[in-house]
Amino acid sequence: MCTCITYQNKDFYFGRNLDIDCSFGEQVVVTPRDFPLEFRKAGTQTRHYAMIGMASANESFPLYAEAVNEKGLCMAGLNFPGNAFYQKAEGEGIELASFELIAWILGKCSSVKEAERYLTDMTVVDLAFSLQMPPAPLHWMLADKERCLVLEAVREGLKVYENPFGVLTNNPPFEYHKMNMNNYLNLSSGHPENRFAKGLELKTYAQGMGAVGLPGDASSASRFVRASFLKWNSVSPEDEDSSVSQFFHILDGVAMVRGSVVTEAGTYDITTYSCCVNTRTGTYYYKTYDDSRIRKVDLGGEHLEGSALCFFH
């Protein structure tokens, strides 16, 4: 269970909550331009765009949950069980495993428009990173300051959707979320008027009643609506500190509190970490469930050149 958002203030920001019941060895990882990205079926990128994001700590390949490259192109993978379907590798077109998709696109492409050219020839194939790490069922949000797409690998193939909301959560598929948003078109951040009946004197008795009906549960559909409402009604000064603070406040509005969501296995989903990246500067901000201080790592300087992954705790 996760929530990903974009946010345009003066600069363009991208980030997410990663909601999970256990750690996956996550660390902030910088992939420099000369680290060889070796793909199972799609060759090797020996020189590519540098990128930064949260990944599983593995020195052979950056297993990104989300990342942004030096050109400001961003991508995140979110849980999509029951709907994600990965094809058998046939040796045709661009075949990528689910764990390779973020690194391949961000390594090669500088914009959504450029990435879009490859998507029609792309197949997500059923390959595991290792015996201990089977393919995760995912869908993805791909964004830059101009456009936002959703990528869903389903039984029919790779489907690509324009995403006007700049928000993505989990199941159901994106087409459902897009339709479901129409159920909430009457919500408002403003002071509501009585539209129930002209003959009844109905009055508000508290602030915030324009958004009565905004869902507050932790389900994917509800988080999609709530994150969209908070994002699109957000007001913030345009300086960096204010923008980053506002971004994390939006994510806090859809975060998981330990004990509020119990999985079928009896474990607790929590927001393991929240992150925000300024796509112009490459500054990656993050906080964890047990440490609400916002820390940052910059993509730049000595990190851009090199041939080894850089890990930051």
Side-chain angles (χ1 to χ4, degrees):
M1 299 176 71
C2 304
T3 305
C4 185
I5 66 171
T6 62
Y7 181 57
Q8 181 74 56
N9 205 18
K10 180 179 179 181
D11 283 333
F12 179 72
Y13 299 85
F14 179 93
R16 58 102 59 84
N17 286 340
L18 191 136
D19 307 320
I20 196 170
D21 60 352
C22 61
S23 171
F24 60 94
E26 61 274 6
Q27 289 182 292
V28 179
V29 177
V30 170
T31 302
R33 294 169 181 154
D34 290 327
F35 175 81
L37 291 170
E38 298 179 359
F39 302 97
R40 303 288 175 86
K41 301 292 182 179
T44 300
Q45 293 180 12
T46 56
R47 179 77 174 177
H48 49 76
Y49 294 123
M51 61 194 83
I52 186 172
M54 195 72 77
S56 178
N58 185 288
E59 294 185 356
S60 65
F61 193 87
L63 298 168
Y64 283 118
E66 82 292 320
V68 60
N69 71 14
E70 59 186 290
K71 296 297 183 179
L73 183 62
C74 319
M75 193 169 183
L78 292 84
N79 201 28
F80 195 48
N83 288 298
F85 184 88
Y86 303 145
Q87 310 291 332
K88 181 180 178 181
E90 301 286 354
E92 299 178 357
I94 304 168
E95 295 183 327
L96 295 165
S98 58
F99 65 86
E100 297 175 326
L101 200 62
I102 292 177
W104 193 94
I105 289 177
L106 297 191
K108 194 175 185 67
C109 303
S110 62
S111 66
V112 169
K113 183 178 181 180
E114 186 177 352
E116 194 174 31
R117 299 203 303 262
Y118 297 102
L119 298 180
T120 55
D121 197 33
M122 187 175 291
T123 303
V124 183
V125 294
D126 189 19
L127 294 174
F129 180 73
S130 67
L131 290 175
Q132 296 74 32
M133 297 180 66
L138 303 173
H139 61 173
W140 296 267
M141 190 159 90
L142 177 67
D144 60 20
K145 64 181 179 180
E146 303 296 334
R147 293 175 64 198
C148 182
L149 301 179
V150 171
L151 281 57
E152 293 185 339
V154 294
R155 190 171 294 275
E156 296 79 13
L158 184 63
K159 292 190 175 183
V160 180
Y161 304 95
E162 292 282 348
N163 183 354
F165 309 103
V167 170
L168 187 63
T169 55
N170 312 104
N171 292 325
F174 181 71
E175 284 185 319
Y176 171 90
H177 291 296
K178 190 173 181 180
M179 177 61 71
N180 185 51
M181 285 292 290
N182 292 297
N183 291 321
Y184 302 95
L185 59 82
N186 199 44
L187 298 188
S188 170
S189 61
H191 196 73
E193 298 179 2
N194 174 20
R195 288 187 289 223
F196 188 89
K198 293 181 179 180
L200 296 175
E201 292 188 11
L202 302 177
K203 299 180 180 179
T204 60
Y205 51 82
Q207 298 295 332
M209 293 183 67
V212 169
L214 181 67
D217 63 89
S219 68
S220 304
S222 294
R223 282 183 286 110
F224 191 105
V225 175
R226 194 160 69 256
S228 297
F229 183 85
L230 295 173
K231 168 193 164 169
W232 283 97
N233 288 288
S234 170
V235 177
S236 170
E238 293 184 341
D239 63 279
E240 181 75 351
D241 287 349
S242 297
S243 296
V244 172
S245 175
Q246 186 77 345
F247 193 99
F248 279 107
H249 280 303
I250 295 170
L251 290 180
D252 287 343
V254 288
M256 301 283 183
V257 176
R258 182 181 282 119
S260 64
V261 177
V262 183
T263 70
E264 288 184 276
T267 58
Y268 303 116
D269 265 346
I270 64 169
T271 299
T272 302
Y273 71 85
S274 303
C275 67
C276 165
V277 62
N278 182 321
T279 64
R280 178 181 61 83
T281 65
T283 305
Y284 183 94
Y285 303 90
Y286 70 102
K287 64 178 184 175
T288 65
Y289 189 88
D290 292 316
D291 188 349
S292 59
R293 293 174 299 174
I294 296 174
R295 287 159 279 179
K296 70 176 183 178
V297 179
D298 291 320
L299 175 65
E302 69 273 17
H303 304 318
L304 293 180
E305 300 295 341
S307 58
L309 297 176
C310 303
F311 298 89
F312 299 86
H313 295 281

